[in-house]
Amino acid sequence: MPTDAYSQALQSLSDLGPLRVWSLLVTVFGDLAPDQPLNGPTLSAIMGEIGIKPEASRVALHRLRSDGWVSSAKQGRNSLHSLTAKGRSDSDAARGRIYGGGQATEAVAILMQGNTELDPTRFAQIASRLFLCSSTEPLPSDAMRLTPDSLPPWLGSQIETEGMRDAYKSLHAVLTDISEELDQDMTPVQTAALRVLIVHAWRRLTLKHPDLPRTAHSPDWRGHDCRALVQTLLERYPRPALDAIKPA
């Protein structure tokens, strides 16, 4: 069992959901090395601190290379791993949702001509042909835009799933504990591991649904509160220099 606040933080974040190693590596590159190579020993130190075995990391890296997301090159006895153009493009596309402080302040409804399916991470379906999205979201060319004067209190239960509400409640509890309990000095590799797990837990939720204002959600929705805590913690524990990260 964890005996200190840092170890408890890593354990609690890891327990929020299954850690798919390839997805965790996406977070590592996106948060710690979006525009520079990451050498093998540094990557191993970060993954080892999180508790990922070297064999699992190698398999996950192979998958990301096969998907055209990461490239690797030898440098002496070590390897350098970098995001490809595709990896950088995909990472940059999600960066605003993950790190952006500006949340949607207004929602619009759109009416489609016929029955259609829209991206559920951008548009919340309210009824047949009727969707809700952020006022800044680019709309389909055949959509009729409707601007409601107000949003009804029943809307949250219509567009939220119980699973997503519960997931945000769990994340909010963990982030609150970290914010209140973790006050110890940390090494660069510890800071890197903590950041990666915070961003990963947040990323796997916030990218699954549209960015809508708080007024569109039910009182039990903790998504906006989690965003504020994530920003506070990432500011408290800034990204360490890669050359300072050493095995614990």
Side-chain angles (χ1 to χ4, degrees):
M1 294 292 291
T3 57
D4 61 275
Y6 166 73
S7 298
Q8 182 62 62
L10 294 196
Q11 185 67 59
S12 296
L13 288 165
S14 298
D15 288 345
L16 286 171
L19 290 180
R20 295 180 175 85
V21 182
W22 68 268
S23 183
L24 190 63
L25 280 176
V26 168
T27 303
V28 170
F29 281 99
D31 184 60
L32 300 177
D35 53 7
Q36 58 183 313
L38 191 57
N39 68 49
T42 299
L43 180 59
S44 296
I46 297 166
M47 299 299 280
E49 183 69 15
I50 294 172
I52 305 300
K53 295 181 179 179
E55 297 82 2
S57 294
R58 284 195 290 269
V59 171
L61 268 175
H62 177 73
R63 171 174 176 169
L64 292 181
R65 282 194 296 267
S66 298
D67 290 344
W69 217 83
V70 166
S71 63
S72 300
K74 293 294 285 185
Q75 185 184 57
R77 299 178 61 183
N78 297 320
S79 295
L80 288 178
H81 310 289
S82 306
L83 291 177
T84 62
K86 169 181 168 53
R88 285 192 298 273
S89 176
D90 290 349
S91 183
D92 288 344
R95 190 166 299 278
R97 284 294 301 273
I98 296 171
Y99 298 97
Q103 303 171 27
T105 58
E106 182 182 0
V108 298
I110 61 171
L111 184 65
M112 302 299 294
Q113 181 178 9
N115 291 329
T116 186
E117 293 185 4
L118 298 180
D119 184 351
T121 67
R122 298 167 53 204
F123 302 92
Q125 187 161 11
I126 305 172
S128 176
R129 301 170 54 205
L130 188 63
F131 298 82
L132 194 72
C133 66
S134 167
S135 59
T136 60
E137 183 68 49
L139 303 182
S141 59
D142 58 343
M144 176 186 291
R145 174 174 170 146
L146 310 170
T147 305
D149 293 331
S150 61
L151 299 176
W154 52 260
L155 185 60
S157 61
Q158 181 80 11
I159 63 176
E160 300 163 7
T161 66
E162 183 178 358
M164 191 63 72
R165 276 196 301 271
D166 289 345
Y168 269 125
K169 285 181 183 178
S170 297
L171 177 58
H172 184 261
V174 170
L175 295 177
T176 298
D177 284 345
I178 294 173
S179 178
E180 294 176 352
E181 302 296 333
L182 184 58
D183 58 2
Q184 66 196 68
D185 292 333
M186 295 192 296
T187 65
V189 71
Q190 289 176 329
T191 300
L194 180 67
R195 279 185 62 97
V196 165
L197 287 178
I198 289 173
V199 172
H200 190 69
W202 167 242
R203 178 176 74 86
R204 60 193 292 270
L205 295 184
T206 192
L207 297 181
K208 289 183 177 179
H209 60 82
D211 183 23
L212 296 172
R214 188 184 291 269
T215 53
H217 287 283
S218 65
D220 291 336
W221 182 259
R222 291 288 176 264
H224 300 82
D225 301 316
C226 285
R227 179 186 292 275
L229 282 167
V230 167
Q231 291 177 330
T232 296
L233 289 169
L234 294 185
E235 290 174 3
R236 183 187 301 178
Y237 304 108
R239 184 180 295 111
L242 293 181
D243 58 7
I245 297 175
K246 308 295 181 186

